[in-house]
């Protein structure tokens, strides 16, 4: 919807995109004020964004309000897992860690390892999907097809290994709801090795591609200081040379045993963010292979019934988009308060500044490069 | 512009402001990798400045309205249910739906410092809370969200 008539030179005008639009990462309304630009084409190509305003509320689930009204423990777990499809395992992990810290429950080592494998598989899928969509926005459809195929193979591997393409519902309080046998784990290793082999060739070709570098280098650059002040987390912060990763800084579960290499880039632009995500996907594949090699035998659930006590607890997990922090307060009957803070929340805060003075056709690439998750933001 | 440069003397004893802060807390609990500090009617920006001076980063903040113990106790609930049965269930449901949020406001701030989470809980019965957005700019959006959800008011330092 464009409020002004189109002509060879675009007068100051307002474009409203959304709440549902293919260029947007999720439901939201984006109001863009465009500058008058003599060189803009009749279709608006070349128009510059003067200011941007984001309107949220189209994906609001009221998770925290529901928790404040009182929810039993089983229902609360399904609510958190169903919050978002691309970060469901990371969100669930942060939540159950918070409950386990409140109940002083000990998670068996095998369950801790399988949880780590689930979280890393989810990271691979999220990063590959983002890279494929970036290639689509760059009109590089062959590369997009290869990356989408790799993403699909990772999703299929998760399906065969854990029993569902998304939200397998395995993670529960005190461990896992069911065990995964060794044969299924070997299948995951084989699938991940295939994805890794193809991805390595893709990464070297993407990094050395001048067309991609020319389009993405310098686009939406965020300095390290800006990232720190804005509280950015995850791949967006790591692309701005901030070496922060909860798997290293605050390791829990199997991450205490398995080493993680933090991928950092210095330029802070869209190209650096793409490279960070692709290299992190490779690092996740290495963690999965190592985790399956080191997978201990034994039960996957704490013995006996977990006794929920009155109190509060916290959980911190490095999700695909960055740190997920969960705080809960509960009692024996159920959950009484919940707060889930995800990395996409500060990311959306910098978006208006990031879009300012950029061309309208850069919008989709910029949104993809910061990769916000609307479901996690609105909760 | 807000910078993250250390203030004069900060680098000498970074834990000093934190120790001073802990002495003001009326309750301090230590858990595995978490320290909980509870305060009552204390300006949040003073605490944030002390933690900032110690080098802490703000992870997030949230708030809740906590019912008074008398309101939340099972005895009170049972009494309320009995009264409702007398008046008729329909009338009780109607009055419950109209109930406005009540109870003391508690704001929880989560800071990270040297691999330890500092959970600072401030009980503020008045509903007026000092904003920490000038110390931690990342808090601005969360404060706006809480303002809408809980109906409390964040006051800036200038006020």
């Amino acid at each position: 919807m464009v409020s002004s008539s189109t002509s060879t030179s675009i007068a100051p005008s307002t474009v409203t995109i959304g709440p549902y639009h293919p260029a947007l990462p999720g439901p939201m309304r984006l109001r863009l004020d465009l500058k008058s630009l003599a060189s803009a084409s009749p279709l608006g190509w070349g128009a510059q964004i003067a200011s941007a305003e984001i309107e949220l509320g189209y994906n609001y689930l009221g998770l925290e309000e529901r928790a404040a009204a009182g929810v039993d423990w089983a229902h609360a777990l399904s609510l958190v897992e169903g919050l978002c499809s691309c970060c469901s395992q990371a969100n669930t992990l942060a939540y159950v860690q918070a409950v386990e810290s409140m109940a002083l429950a000990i998670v068996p080592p095998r369950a801790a390892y399988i949880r780590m494998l689930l979280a890393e598989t989810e990271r691979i899928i999220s990063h590959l999907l983002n890279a494929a969509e970036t290639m689509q926005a760059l009109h590089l459809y062959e590369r997009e097809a290869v990356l989408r195929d790799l993403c699909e193979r990772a999703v299929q591997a998760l399906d065969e290994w854990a029993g569902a393409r998304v939200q397998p519902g395995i993670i529960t309080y005190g461990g896992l709801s069911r065990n995964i046998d060794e044969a299924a784990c070997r299948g995951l290793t084989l699938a991940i090795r295939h994805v890794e082999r193809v991805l390595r060739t893709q990464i070297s070709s993407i990094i050395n591609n001048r067309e991609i570098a020319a389009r993405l280098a310098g686009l939406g650059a965020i300095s390290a200081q800006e990232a720190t002040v804005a509280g950015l987390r995850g791949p967006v912060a790591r692309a701005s040379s901030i070496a922060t990763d909860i798997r290293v800084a605050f390791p829990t579960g199997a991450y205490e045993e398995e080493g993680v290499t933090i991928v950092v880039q210095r330029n802070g632009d869209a190209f650096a963010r793409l490279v960070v995500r692709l290299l992190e996907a490779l690092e996740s594949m290495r963690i999965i292979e190592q985790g399956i090699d080191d997978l201990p035998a034994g039960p996957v659930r704490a013995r006996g019934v977990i006794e929920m006590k009155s109190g509060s607890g916290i959980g911190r997990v490095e999700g695909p988009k960055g740190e997920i922090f969960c705080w809960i307060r509960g009692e024996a009957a159920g959950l009484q308060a919940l707060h889930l803070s995800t990395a996409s929340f500060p990311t959306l805060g910098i978006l208006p500044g990031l879009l300012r003075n950029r061309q309208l056709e850069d919008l989709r690439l910029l949104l993809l490069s910061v990769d916000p998750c609307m479901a996690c933001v609105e909760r | 512009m807000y910078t993250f440069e250390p203030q004069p003397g900060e680098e000498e004893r970074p834990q000093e402001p934190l120790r001073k802060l802990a002495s003001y807390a009326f309750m301090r609990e230590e858990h595995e990798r978490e320290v909980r500090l509870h305060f009552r009617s204390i300006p949040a920006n003073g605490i944030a400045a002390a933690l900032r001076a110690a080098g802490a980063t703000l992870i997030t903040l949230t708030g809740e309205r906590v019912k008074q113990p008398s309101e939340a106790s099972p005895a009170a609930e049972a009494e309320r249910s009995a009264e409702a049965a007398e008046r008729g269930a329909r009338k009780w449901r109607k009055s419950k739906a109209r109930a406005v949020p009540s109870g003391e406001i508690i704001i929880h701030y989560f800071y990270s410092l040297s691999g330890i989470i500092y959970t600072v809980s401030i009980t503020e019965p008045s509903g007026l809370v000092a904003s920490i957005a000038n110390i931690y700019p990342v808090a601005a959006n969360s404060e706006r969200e809480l303002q809408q959800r809980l109906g409390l008011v964040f006051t800036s330092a200038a006020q």
Side-chain angles (χ1 to χ4, degrees):
Chain A
M1 183 176 67
V2 180
S3 61
S4 67
S5 61
T6 51
S7 63
T8 47
S9 70
I10 289 187
S13 59
T14 302
V15 178
T16 307
I17 301 174
Y20 303 98
H21 191 278
L24 299 176
M28 67 173 176
R29 194 185 288 271
L30 198 57
R31 187 189 154 96
L32 304 168
D33 290 325
L34 302 179
K35 285 180 184 174
S36 169
L37 205 71
S39 60
S41 76
L43 290 174
W45 299 112
Q48 263 193 331
I49 298 166
S51 65
E53 202 180 302
I54 300 168
E55 188 186 293
L56 300 176
Y58 299 97
N59 212 13
Y60 182 66
L61 295 172
L63 184 68
E64 296 187 2
E65 281 77 2
R66 280 206 215 180
V71 185
D72 67 77
W73 291 110
H75 189 197
L77 185 64
S78 65
L79 279 176
V80 173
E81 186 163 16
L83 176 66
C84 163
S85 59
C86 61
C87 323
S88 76
Q89 297 312 291
N91 284 342
T92 313
L93 203 50
Y95 167 70
V96 294
Q97 278 183 6
V99 176
E100 284 156 7
S101 86
M102 183 198 79
L104 303 175
I106 295 168
V107 179
R110 186 178 174 84
Y113 267 80
I114 293 175
R115 282 178 175 189
M116 179 184 76
L117 300 179
L118 280 167
E120 294 304 324
T121 312
E122 186 176 70
R123 190 184 324 279
I124 293 168
I125 293 166
S126 170
H127 286 357
L128 289 180
L129 190 62
N130 177 269
E133 287 183 359
T134 305
M135 293 303 129
Q136 186 198 38
L138 289 168
H139 306 289
L140 300 170
Y141 300 116
E142 282 182 21
R143 283 186 197 281
E144 182 211 347
V146 174
L147 289 167
R148 275 199 198 278
D149 180 52
L150 291 181
C151 181
E152 179 55 27
R153 280 176 190 238
V155 173
Q156 279 175 3
L158 177 68
D159 185 10
E160 284 161 19
W161 176 64
R165 288 172 66 85
V166 285
Q167 302 172 9
I170 294 180
I171 298 173
T172 189
Y173 308 117
L176 304 172
S177 58
R178 62 177 186 275
N179 200 351
I180 296 177
D181 62 21
E182 305 302 327
C185 290
R186 275 195 298 277
L188 180 67
T189 308
L190 290 174
I192 290 298
R193 274 187 194 152
H194 167 76
V195 174
E196 186 183 355
R197 205 167 45 245
V198 181
L199 185 61
R200 276 190 193 281
T201 57
Q202 280 297 313
I203 290 175
S204 67
S205 135
I206 286 170
I207 289 174
N208 295 317
N209 187 301
R210 286 185 187 176
E211 195 183 347
I212 297 173
R215 191 76 180 83
L216 297 182
L219 182 69
I222 304 168
S223 69
Q225 187 174 358
E226 285 167 342
T228 310
V229 172
L232 299 185
R233 317 168 192 173
V236 182
R238 288 192 285 274
S240 299
S241 71
I242 297 173
T244 168
D245 194 316
I246 295 304
R247 294 175 293 174
V248 176
F250 201 83
T252 48
Y255 291 112
E256 289 183 66
E257 310 295 328
E258 303 290 332
V260 176
T261 306
I262 304 178
V263 180
V264 176
Q265 290 282 303
R266 278 187 294 179
N267 292 344
D269 54 17
F271 190 66
R273 292 192 277 273
L274 174 69
V275 171
V276 164
R277 288 198 186 95
L278 289 170
L279 295 179
E280 274 187 5
L282 276 186
E283 175 63 8
S284 293
M285 289 171 198
R286 188 196 64 75
I287 295 169
I288 289 175
E289 285 186 41
Q290 197 176 317
I292 290 175
D293 285 346
D294 299 344
L295 190 64
V300 291
R301 197 155 187 192
R303 280 183 190 172
V305 180
I306 294 176
E307 195 187 328
M308 297 296 187
K309 298 166 184 167
S310 289
S312 63
I314 55 163
R316 271 181 113 181
V317 167
E318 185 69 28
K321 321 275 180 187
E323 181 189 347
I324 296 169
F325 179 89
C326 183
W327 170 81
I328 61 115
R329 188 169 58 75
E331 57 179 20
L335 189 66
Q336 288 181 318
L338 166 77
H339 176 60
L340 201 64
S341 164
T342 64
S344 299
F345 196 70
T347 303
L348 270 193
I350 60 147
L351 203 52
L354 209 59
L355 293 175
R356 202 173 302 133
N357 297 329
R358 302 304 318 186
Q359 292 197 331
L360 189 57
E361 53 263 39
D362 290 339
L363 175 72
R364 180 155 160 73
L365 280 174
L366 281 167
L367 287 170
L368 283 169
S369 81
V370 292
D371 197 19
C373 174
M374 302 313 294
C376 292
V377 169
E378 300 224 32
R379 304 185 300 281
Chain B
M1 192 192 156
Y2 187 80
T3 63
F4 275 76
E5 296 300 317
Q7 298 300 308
E10 251 188 44
E11 58 285 340
E12 291 166 14
R13 282 182 295 174
Q15 297 294 326
E16 191 57 38
L18 210 61
R19 251 180 249 125
K20 200 174 163 187
L21 187 69
S23 65
Y24 288 112
F26 77 84
M27 204 157 80
R28 181 190 161 101
E29 296 169 49
E30 284 196 19
H31 295 254
E32 193 196 355
R33 295 200 284 189
E34 188 193 0
V35 175
R36 295 176 190 165
L37 301 169
H38 299 261
F39 298 88
R40 193 173 175 87
S41 299
I42 278 184
N45 52 358
I47 296 169
L51 279 154
R52 168 73 196 88
T57 53
L58 178 76
I59 303 170
T60 184
L61 64 130
T62 188
E64 56 176 335
R65 277 189 188 271
V66 177
K67 287 177 185 170
Q68 299 298 319
S70 57
E71 265 184 78
S73 69
E77 283 291 322
E79 198 179 313
R80 195 192 296 168
S81 303
E83 278 176 27
E86 277 175 27
R87 284 183 309 208
R90 189 181 290 174
K91 195 176 174 186
W92 180 74
R93 273 194 216 109
K94 204 173 170 186
S95 66
K96 196 182 178 187
R98 280 181 188 173
V100 290
S102 62
E104 283 188 334
I105 286 176
I106 302 180
I107 309 288
H108 306 282
Y109 298 86
F110 304 95
Y111 298 92
S112 172
L113 177 63
S114 314
I116 294 172
I117 306 290
Y118 287 84
T119 304
V120 174
S121 303
I122 304 174
T123 307
E124 194 50 83
S126 69
L128 283 173
V129 184
S131 169
I132 62 162
N134 56 342
I135 299 162
Y136 289 102
V138 68
N141 283 339
S142 301
E143 286 182 354
R144 210 171 299 128
E145 194 185 74
L146 276 182
Q147 204 158 327
Q148 287 173 355
R149 190 157 63 87
L150 295 176
L152 51 87
V153 177
F154 282 96
T155 56
S156 65
Q159 289 173 316

